[in-house]
Amino acid sequence: MSREADRQHIEKVLSGDKNAFRYFITHYQEMATRIAFSMVQDEVQAKHIVQSAYIQAFKSLPRFKQEAKFSTWFYRIVVNESIKVNRKSKLEQQTVPISASHSISLQTQNGALNTLELTEKRKQINQVLTSMKPKERLMLELYYLQEKSTQEIKMITGFSLSNIIVLLLRARKNFAAIFQTSNP
């Protein structure tokens, strides 16, 4: 989404047009849900987190300085809300597979056999991701699947650059170890 379009809609909302906020819901909901899901591994909770984040963003919009992109500011709210939910519920995380829209799309070349192999690989990757710690899962999601730079991840999560690098290294190492263990 363009920064200019975001600014125009922010101005509309701040001048009293509450319906203009729908623009942000339309444009940022999918990614926000992915981020929340990668942290909590529960679709229903992820949707509640995003809803709560939108309410918080709407209330805080007058204080948004527009130095960063709206998306970065909003995704940081989503990450903070997700962290709060994880702190509150130390329950066992349910295994919920990441949908095809979260996976790296690969072209199938040889029909049904390749489709079956691809489905199996996605299932294995999803199983590994769901067994990882939330912060590591988030780093892999943002860096590899959403192709965010470390600077963008810093702005979204509020983590320091060194923390992001360490988390990415640890996440890659843990992912590889878990993947190799589960696929001898």
Side-chain angles (χ1 to χ4, degrees):
M1 308 315 109
S2 81
R3 226 175 173 159
E4 187 55 37
D6 286 354
R7 284 182 191 190
Q8 289 173 357
H9 284 84
I10 289 170
E11 287 174 19
K12 287 180 184 178
V13 172
L14 293 177
S15 65
D17 182 1
K18 293 178 180 166
N19 288 326
F21 197 77
R22 289 183 189 179
Y23 163 85
F24 299 108
I25 295 170
T26 303
H27 288 87
Y28 299 111
Q29 186 167 10
E30 184 178 332
M31 177 63 171
T33 304
R34 285 181 188 172
I35 290 170
F37 180 82
S38 73
M39 301 251 338
V40 298
Q41 291 294 291
D42 182 284
E43 276 187 73
V44 174
Q45 265 190 329
K47 289 179 181 179
H48 286 295
I49 288 168
V50 172
Q51 214 171 31
S52 176
Y54 272 120
I55 291 168
Q56 188 175 345
F58 182 80
K59 289 178 180 177
S60 302
L61 200 57
R63 293 186 304 276
F64 176 54
K65 295 182 174 130
Q66 299 188 35
E67 293 167 357
K69 291 193 276 186
F70 176 86
S71 60
T72 303
W73 178 71
F74 177 64
Y75 297 150
R76 184 168 187 174
I77 294 171
V78 172
V79 167
N80 290 338
E81 289 295 311
S82 299
I83 290 170
K84 283 182 199 174
V85 167
N86 277 341
R87 281 186 190 140
K88 286 181 183 175
S89 63
K90 297 275 184 180
L91 303 172
E92 288 291 314
Q93 296 196 1
Q94 299 176 359
T95 303
V96 180
I98 297 175
S99 69
S101 66
H102 287 73
S103 303
I104 301 169
S105 63
L106 302 172
Q107 291 184 342
T108 56
Q109 299 172 354
N110 296 323
L113 181 59
N114 284 342
T115 302
L116 185 60
E117 289 173 4
L118 180 60
T119 302
E120 186 59 30
K121 283 286 184 206
R122 283 183 180 156
K123 183 178 175 185
Q124 291 168 346
I125 290 169
N126 289 334
Q127 287 173 341
V128 172
L129 286 172
T130 54
S131 67
M132 295 179 73
K133 293 178 181 176
K135 286 182 181 178
E136 292 177 2
R137 232 184 357 257
L138 177 64
M139 290 301 115
L140 294 177
E141 169 81 23
L142 291 174
Y143 191 77
Y144 290 105
L145 300 178
Q146 302 305 321
E147 299 178 351
K148 300 289 184 189
S149 70
T150 51
Q151 196 61 35
E152 289 174 308
I153 294 171
K154 178 182 175 186
M155 293 174 76
I156 289 170
T157 62
F159 301 157
S160 70
L161 203 51
S162 58
N163 193 12
I164 291 168
I165 292 168
V166 168
L167 282 169
L168 272 170
L169 289 171
R170 191 180 309 145
R172 285 185 206 122
K173 183 179 175 183
N174 289 343
F175 183 92
I178 296 168
F179 191 79
Q180 286 178 341
T181 306
S182 63
N183 298 298

